[in-house]
Amino acid sequence: MRRRDALALAGRLGSASMVAALGGHGAWRSLAPQDQGSDSLLGRPLRVGYLPITDASALLIAHERGLWAAADVASAPPVLFRSWDALGQAILVGEVDVVHMLMPMSLQLRIAASAPIRVIAWGHTNGSCMVTAGPEPSTGAQSRARAPELAGGRLAVPHWWSIHSALTQRLLSSWGLRPVIGTTAGPQEVELVVMPPAEMVAALAGGSIAGFTVADPFGALAELQGVGHVSRLLGDVWRDHACCGLVVRQELIDSRPRAVQGIVDGLIAAQAWLEGNRGRAASLLTSGGYLPQARSAVERALERPAPARASHPDWHGQRLGFSAFPHESYTTALVDMLGRTGVEGDRSFLEGLDPARAHRELVDDAFVRAALERTGAPVPQRTEEVGP
């Protein structure tokens, strides 16, 4: 199968019926050449895929600072993708080995489409926001100010299977607005559309959308360009939620478990470095060519000050967080939330889905646990806090 044919096929594999017709797991085979000759535990350089958002910071820093190489997993220069669908296709056909992927998207691919992928760690927490057109209001409660700005308009999200879409719909409903998909919004409705993150700021400036919800630095970029303002940080809606997980193919876990351990070790080292070097990280990510946005936007995203108005100021939702352990409580809450979230496409796999089973099938936390055990650190405890 030629690579372009494989990518075209993968683009159609979001349907569970298509996957079943192709034979379930057996249809998902690696189509990329397996290069040899490296001293790396992987037997070749690690291939990394990412979207140009600050959510990818830990992956990019792990490569840039040689933290994967220090864990005996040499890495090739990360490959930039422009949309979540393109990134998903790349990991499904084996073009790349590891990606950061939207947690709802990874859940949908794993459970509904039987894709042999696993979340082996969280890449980060928080880091996303809702942006609406125009300058920030000077007065009024934050949540109440949003309804008149968005009513009857269009709001973009990066993917139907994203925490951005789920929390946006939750917020709109709390403001008395009805989210609609595939139809023009009425006076008390907001039409949701999917748009690649890289296109959102221009669309907001051009007036084709009234707002968007996405990962930074696009919220910071809209603010710096004066075309929009951050009206709600998603970390102020769901405390320390995981937007993206670190995803690999199951065959990599089965055939190269020591290499997967090195991938997780390098990620954790990168997260620790990022926590104490946010300003320096912004410089590395932009001067190194990883993120195409202005350094000022990336700095603003990584070092965002606390907002003047927040529903839960003690949650510190403005900060992109770095936590690797993939908690079952989060997966459980995510399954419940997605059950009440509209999408364009089949969502029947969520009916009667046992959250514990979903977590077991999606997440493999053995490598993070092994890293914690080596340092003597306990498994972190967590209670999900989701507010209005």
Side-chain angles (χ1 to χ4, degrees):
M1 184 181 290
R2 293 174 301 176
R3 178 176 174 276
R4 67 180 182 182
D5 295 330
L7 289 174
L9 172 64
R12 299 192 295 272
L13 290 181
S15 154
S17 59
M18 175 64 75
V19 174
L22 292 171
H25 286 243
W28 305 80
R29 59 187 180 87
S30 176
L31 301 169
Q34 300 298 306
D35 303 325
Q36 301 296 324
S38 169
D39 292 333
S40 168
L41 288 171
L42 194 56
R44 55 171 171 75
L46 179 71
R47 300 165 303 187
V48 182
Y50 74 100
L51 256 63
I53 52 180
T54 47
D55 291 358
S57 296
L59 277 74
L60 300 174
I61 291 299
H63 169 77
E64 170 66 21
R65 291 186 55 80
L67 299 174
W68 274 325
D72 294 326
V73 183
S75 53
V79 179
L80 185 152
F81 292 82
R82 291 291 180 182
S83 72
W84 286 110
D85 282 339
L87 186 67
Q89 290 170 13
I91 190 72
L92 292 180
V93 302
E95 183 181 357
V96 293
D97 301 305
V98 59
V99 299
H100 65 115
M101 181 182 287
L102 298 164
M103 286 295 292
M105 180 181 177
S106 64
L107 178 73
Q108 188 269 342
L109 287 173
R110 176 66 180 174
I111 305 299
S114 299
I117 58 173
R118 302 296 293 276
V119 171
I120 55 173
W122 284 354
H124 68 96
T125 58
N126 297 340
S128 297
C129 55
M130 177 185 285
V131 174
T132 48
E136 183 174 7
S138 57
T139 60
Q142 185 184 40
S143 60
R144 295 195 186 101
R146 303 289 71 77
E149 296 176 9
L150 295 174
R154 303 172 78 222
L155 192 146
V157 294
H159 201 277
W160 292 125
W161 297 104
S162 68
I163 200 68
H164 312 92
S165 178
L167 289 181
T168 291
Q169 293 184 47
R170 180 185 176 90
L171 282 172
L172 292 176
S173 297
S174 73
W175 299 333
L177 298 174
R178 178 172 173 260
V180 296
I181 297 171
T183 183
T184 302
Q188 291 301 309
E189 297 177 333
V190 176
E191 179 188 1
L192 298 183
V193 296
V194 167
M195 183 178 293
E199 299 176 11
M200 290 183 176
V201 175
L204 187 68
S208 61
I209 57 175
F212 59 77
T213 305
V214 77
D216 263 324
F218 294 105
L221 192 62
E223 290 178 315
L224 291 172
Q225 292 185 4
V227 300
H229 63 279
V230 172
S231 56
R232 193 69 186 270
L233 294 160
L234 296 195
D236 190 41
V237 183
W238 189 342
R239 185 173 190 171
D240 293 331
H241 66 279
C243 169
C244 298
L246 195 70
V247 170
V248 301
R249 290 166 59 88
Q250 181 66 51
E251 65 183 16
L252 191 66
I253 295 174
D254 296 339
S255 63
R256 294 286 191 274
R258 291 178 59 207
V260 175
Q261 186 65 63
I263 293 170
V264 171
D265 291 347
L267 173 83
I268 292 174
Q271 290 179 336
W273 185 87
L274 278 160
E275 193 63 71
N277 296 275
R278 293 171 181 263
R280 189 176 173 192
S283 177
L284 288 177
L285 293 172
T286 52
S287 63
Y290 300 110
L291 298 183
Q293 299 89 3
R295 176 178 172 177
S296 57
V298 177
E299 286 179 338
R300 188 183 186 95
L302 291 177
E303 302 184 283
R304 185 182 291 281
R309 297 187 305 273
S311 297
H312 309 281
D314 57 316
W315 291 4
H316 304 291
Q318 75 279 6
R319 289 181 66 82
L320 178 67
F322 300 105
S323 177
F325 193 86
H327 292 268
E328 182 175 354
S329 62
Y330 170 84
T331 308
T332 297
L334 179 64
V335 169
D336 177 68
M337 184 176 293
L338 292 177
R340 293 175 278 110
T341 299
V343 301
E344 188 175 67
D346 183 19
R347 57 192 298 280
S348 60
F349 77 96
L350 291 166
E351 297 174 6
L353 178 62
D354 176 31
R357 173 209 150 199
H359 183 77
R360 288 194 304 270
E361 292 194 18
L362 175 64
V363 174
D364 185 341
D365 64 14
F367 302 98
V368 176
R369 287 181 182 274
L372 291 173
E373 288 174 4
R374 284 201 309 275
T375 62
V379 173
Q381 301 300 307
R382 176 181 170 101
T383 300
E384 301 306 318
E385 297 180 71
V386 185

